[in-house]
């Protein structure tokens, strides 16, 4: 005898609830069970351990967190991280906006070329990219050589082994993550809105500022959060292009774990990184929605 | 300077737009009178929207000139043309309220806040939406959005209003109401309206004149009644309402009545204002509602293939002995006595019911 709930049950392929109307577990969940078990065992449990370590090593209490917030070294690392992320984000968003704008408005064949050009760097290892920048930007590198030969400068510019180098490397890595959400939003903007604005008496600049730009803001905001969050966790790029002079949070964690063997302190820094990330993603989810933000 | 409330006339001279080899507009000449409501009617791809976008300034014509009120606007940027445009899908700014949308053209013209507020209120009252000023477009129904678009396009007192399929996204009942409203609005404002549609009913309901477009050209231009009663081509006879077509050769003419030899025997046809000579081949268009059951002039027999009762009238599909298909509409008073499918009936039509059209 079918129950009344059967009438409302949709085909199983579209069912999304964990349990169906009669309280049975959807059998599709068994397909992801192995991954769920792996994630819990290899990720969530160790993460819990990290949390525990941060408040128990070397002795129970919040000493490690106090150190991050007050001691000059760790505080400087945190501020450097936030500052570099902010600078990188602003540059990446501005450049990414330009690239996305071009992508959204060129012919379809050109658009495909641009999409590939944006995506290809993502397939190249971050390590290779960092070393490439090091080669290009060092004192005897091609960039400084060329500038000196052309007579623009007498002394090589300090382009790497400082914050500038780190920012260059990070921007290069992060631009695709700025381009894609903005591009997704731009592509969804109805051309007729721009026509409407022009027909109502607004020139091209006014139309851009009053209609186009506000409509791209969800994409810009999503891109900002994504780029900033990615930037927070950067390790290889600052380590190589900073030449040891620019220490960001991830590297500081690595030092604490591997070199100074202060696991509790490293764990606390990891937790700070994680909380910053989650808060930012939370803000994005609340304001623009995760789905929109990630295209 | 002319009176602000009066419309201005539009003249198109040899307007063409080519996309490679494709001629979206092919040497269009048109004069829209000041204060007129003109509809560009045609199937998709006929060039009607291209023509409207060329008027609005979003399509740059390959050749030709556009004059408004005596001066050329061909080279003018869209924002300088001062036309109100209602776009397909309305194109309301989703990030602005109704009042923000309607106030936009005034804001970009640098008007002061109190003046904008007053004009926005008037424009929204005009379309009876004053109570929805603070809503966002997505919170409105399709019909309300259409009215906001209309208010936005009229609030800055443009010389003319261009409408691109303004009823396209609405259901049939609402469409009918808004057609009447738009027509009244036009009469009240006295501005020049140019409307684009593929819906012949909409075109007939609202327009002073209709330009039927086909393959980038204007096929025929005239008042709705004139177009309907006297189509010049097969295309117009078929596009603006349905028509039956009968081919024949003139064998005799007597006092303006021609006798034609057709596949189903002789047909008598009143020539009216379109002369013909003996031996000419003519294509006659015949409206389904002008066919009558029973004996009469042009009497012949046909088999009933389908007979459908539709409330206001009945539609009967007939086939003559030659294989010629004829559509016949019966008015409500005769629809009760609908012939049975498969039976043979006698039918006929008045000699003045047919009109000779140019074949394609």
């Amino acid at each position: 005898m079918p129950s009344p709930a059967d009438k409302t049950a949709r085909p199983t392929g579209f069912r999304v609830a964990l349990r169906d109307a009669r309280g049975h577990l959807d059998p599709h969940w068994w397909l992801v069970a192995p991954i769920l078990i792996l994630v819990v065992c290899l990720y969530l449990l160790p993460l819990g351990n990290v949390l525990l370590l941060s408040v128990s090593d070397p002795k129970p209490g919040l000493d490690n967190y106090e150190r991050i917030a007050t001691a000059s070294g760790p505080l400087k690392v945190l501020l450097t991280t936030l500052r570099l992320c902010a600078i990188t984000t602003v540059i990446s968003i501005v450049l990414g906006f330009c690239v996305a704008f071009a992508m959204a408005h060129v012919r379809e064949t050109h658009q495909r070329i641009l999409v590939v050009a944006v995506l290809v760097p993502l397939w190249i290892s971050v390590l290779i990219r960092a070393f490439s920048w090091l080669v290009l930007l060092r004192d005897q590198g091609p960039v400084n050589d060329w500038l000196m030969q052309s007579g623009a400068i007498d002394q090589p510019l300090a382009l790497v082994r400082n914050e500038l180098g780190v920012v260059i490397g990070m921007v290069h890595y992060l631009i695709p993550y700025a381009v894609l959400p903005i591009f997704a939003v731009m592509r969804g903007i109805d051309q007729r809105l721009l026509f409407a604005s022009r027909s109502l008496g607004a020139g091209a600049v006014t139309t851009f500022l009053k209609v186009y730009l506000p409509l791209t803001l969800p994409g810009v905001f999503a891109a900002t959060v994504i780029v900033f969050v990615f930037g927070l966790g950067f390790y290889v790029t600052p380590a190589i292009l900073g030449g040891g002079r620019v220490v960001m949070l991830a590297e500081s964690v690595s030092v604490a774990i591997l070199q100074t063997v202060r696991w509790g302190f490293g764990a606390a820094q990891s937790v700070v990184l994680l909380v910053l990330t989650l808060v930012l993603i939370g803000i994005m989810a609340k304001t623009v929605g995760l789905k929109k933000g990630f295209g | 300077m002319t009176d602000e409330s009066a419309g201005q006339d539009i003249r198109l001279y040899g307007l063409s737009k080519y996309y490679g080899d494709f001629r979206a507009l092919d040497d269009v000449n048109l004069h829209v009178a000041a204060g007129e409501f003109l509809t560009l009617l045609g199937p998709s791809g006929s060039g009607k929207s291209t023509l409207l976008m060329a008027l609005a300034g979003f399509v740059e014509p390959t050749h030709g000139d556009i004059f408004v009120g005596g001066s050329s606007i061909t080279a003018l940027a869209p924002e300088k043309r001062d036309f109100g445009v209602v776009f397909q899908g309305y194109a309301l700014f989703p990030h602005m309220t109704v009042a923000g949308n309607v106030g936009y053209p005034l804001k970009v013209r640098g008007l002061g806040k109190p003046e904008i507020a007053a004009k926005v209120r008037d424009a929204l009252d005009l379309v009876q939406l004053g109570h929805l000023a603070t809503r966002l477009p997505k919170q409105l129904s399709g019909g309300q959005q259409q009215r906001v678009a209309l208010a936005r396009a009229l609030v800055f007192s443009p010389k003319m209003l261009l409408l691109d399929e303004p009823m396209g996204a609405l259901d049939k009942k609402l469409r009918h109401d808004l057609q009447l409203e738009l027509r009244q609005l036009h009469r009240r404002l006295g501005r020049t309206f140019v409307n684009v549609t593929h819906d012949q009913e909409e075109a007939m309901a609202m327009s002073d004149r209709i330009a039927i477009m086909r393959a980038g050209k204007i096929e025929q231009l005239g008042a709705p009644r004139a177009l309907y009663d006297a189509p010049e081509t097969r295309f117009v006879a078929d596009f603006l309402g349905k028509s039956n077509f009968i081919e024949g050769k003139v064998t005799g003419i007597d006092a303006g009545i021609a006798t034609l030899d057709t596949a189903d025997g002789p047909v008598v046809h009143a020539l009216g204002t379109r002369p013909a000579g003996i031996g000419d081949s003519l294509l006659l268009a015949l409206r389904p509602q002008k066919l009558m059951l029973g004996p009469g002039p042009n009497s012949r027999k046909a088999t009933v293939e389908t007979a459908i009762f539709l409330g206001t009238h009945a539609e009967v599909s007939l086939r003559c002995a030659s294989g010629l298909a004829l559509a016949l509409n019966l008015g409500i008073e005769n629809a009760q006595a609908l012939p049975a499918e498969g039976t043979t009936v006698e039918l006929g039509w008045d000699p003045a019911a047919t009109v000779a059209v140019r074949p394609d």
Side-chain angles (χ1 to χ4, degrees), chain A residues 1-130:
Chain A
M1 190 60 193
S3 71
D6 282 352
K7 280 184 186 162
T8 55
R10 279 179 291 165
T12 49
F14 298 101
R15 214 182 288 156
V16 286
L18 189 57
R19 290 174 184 280
D20 66 17
R22 277 163 295 178
H24 294 299
L25 187 66
D26 189 320
H28 287 96
W29 279 98
W30 292 113
L31 292 173
V32 291
I35 293 175
L36 278 179
I37 292 164
L38 271 176
V39 165
V40 169
C41 292
L42 298 179
Y43 196 75
L44 291 181
L45 293 181
L47 202 61
N49 195 30
V50 167
L51 254 170
L52 199 65
L53 264 177
S54 73
V55 292
S56 63
D57 180 269
K59 59 182 172 59
L62 293 173
D63 296 356
N64 289 322
Y65 292 100
E66 200 191 325
R67 223 172 95 79
I68 293 174
T70 54
S72 69
L75 191 62
K76 193 179 160 224
V77 167
L78 188 62
L79 293 179
T80 304
T81 306
L82 292 175
R83 187 178 65 245
L84 284 180
C85 283
I87 295 169
T88 304
T89 302
V90 170
I91 297 172
S92 300
I93 295 298
V94 171
L95 295 178
F97 189 95
C98 298
V99 175
F101 189 86
M103 271 164 74
H105 294 277
V106 293
R107 276 190 269 151
E108 210 174 320
T109 45
H110 294 193
Q111 188 185 70
R112 259 182 250 132
I113 295 169
L114 278 174
V115 169
V116 170
V118 168
L119 289 179
V120 160
L122 287 179
W123 302 331
I124 300 169
S125 145
V126 61
L127 202 63
I128 291 174
R129 289 205 257 169

Side-chain angles (χ1 to χ4, degrees), chain A:
Chain A
M1 190 60 193
S3 71
D6 282 352
K7 280 184 186 162
T8 55
R10 279 179 291 165
T12 49
F14 298 101
R15 214 182 288 156
V16 286
L18 189 57
R19 290 174 184 280
D20 66 17
R22 277 163 295 178
H24 294 299
L25 187 66
D26 189 320
H28 287 96
W29 279 98
W30 292 113
L31 292 173
V32 291
I35 293 175
L36 278 179
I37 292 164
L38 271 176
V39 165
V40 169
C41 292
L42 298 179
Y43 196 75
L44 291 181
L45 293 181
L47 202 61
N49 195 30
V50 167
L51 254 170
L52 199 65
L53 264 177
S54 73
V55 292
S56 63
D57 180 269
K59 59 182 172 59
L62 293 173
D63 296 356
N64 289 322
Y65 292 100
E66 200 191 325
R67 223 172 95 79
I68 293 174
T70 54
S72 69
L75 191 62
K76 193 179 160 224
V77 167
L78 188 62
L79 293 179
T80 304
T81 306
L82 292 175
R83 187 178 65 245
L84 284 180
C85 283
I87 295 169
T88 304
T89 302
V90 170
I91 297 172
S92 300
I93 295 298
V94 171
L95 295 178
F97 189 95
C98 298
V99 175
F101 189 86
M103 271 164 74
H105 294 277
V106 293
R107 276 190 269 151
E108 210 174 320
T109 45
H110 294 193
Q111 188 185 70
R112 259 182 250 132
I113 295 169
L114 278 174
V115 169
V116 170
V118 168
L119 289 179
V120 160
L122 287 179
W123 302 331
I124 300 169
S125 145
V126 61
L127 202 63
I128 291 174
R129 289 205 257 169
F131 278 120
S132 305
W133 279 117
L134 195 62
V135 171
L136 281 172
L137 300 178
R138 72 199 154 100
D139 286 356
Q140 294 82 35
V143 172
N144 270 320
D145 276 356
W146 180 77
L147 284 174
M148 293 200 3
Q149 273 164 21
S150 71
I153 51 170
D154 304 327
Q155 292 293 312
L157 294 174
L159 297 173
V160 274
R161 298 202 175 83
N162 53 20
E163 288 197 0
L164 178 63
V166 177
V167 168
I168 291 173
M170 284 176 73
V171 166
H172 178 227
Y173 187 89
L174 290 169
I175 275 185
Y177 298 97
V179 171
L180 295 176
I182 298 175
F183 173 60
V185 170
M186 281 178 175
R187 213 170 36 168
I189 293 176
D190 189 345
Q191 286 288 307
R192 281 175 296 194
L193 294 176
L194 312 179
F195 282 175
S197 171
R198 298 291 297 272
S199 78
L200 293 169
V205 175
T206 311
T207 297
F208 179 82
L209 293 176
K210 294 262 163 98
V211 178
Y212 194 82
L213 200 58
L215 291 175
T216 61
L217 281 186
V220 169
F221 192 72
T224 303
V225 173
I226 291 168
V227 168
F228 195 90
V229 161
F230 271 134
L232 282 178
F234 262 53
Y235 171 57
V236 172
T237 307
I240 293 172
L241 294 173
R245 270 170 274 184
V246 185
V247 181
M248 285 175 65
L249 208 45
E251 199 186 351
S252 175
V253 171
S254 157
V255 168
I257 303 284
L258 298 175
Q259 291 169 30
T260 56
V261 202
R262 287 182 298 184
W263 282 37
F265 181 60
Q269 285 185 311
S270 306
V271 171
V272 168
L273 192 59
L274 185 66
V275 168
L276 268 176
T277 306
L278 290 178
V279 165
L280 285 169
I281 290 178
I283 290 172
M284 183 172 89
K286 271 271 182 283
T287 48
V288 284
L290 280 182
K291 225 179 143 187
K292 217 169 175 178
F294 288 109

Side-chain angles (χ1 to χ4, degrees), chain B residues 204-260:
Chain B
M204 305 266 291
M206 299 196 296
S207 321
D208 294 326
R209 283 194 303 163
I210 300 173
I212 297 198
M213 293 204 60
R214 182 192 186 194
K217 288 175 186 285
I218 292 177
E219 181 106 345
Q220 193 177 349
L221 174 69
R225 189 68 198 252
L227 286 186
Y228 190 82
D229 288 343
E232 279 169 9
T233 67
R234 181 188 179 119
F235 178 81
V236 173
D238 212 23
F239 194 77
L240 200 68
K242 279 184 200 158
S243 287
N244 294 300
F245 294 99
I246 301 160
E247 279 179 276
K249 197 164 234 160
V250 179
T251 56
I253 300 176
D254 180 25
I257 304 283
T259 307
L260 279 75

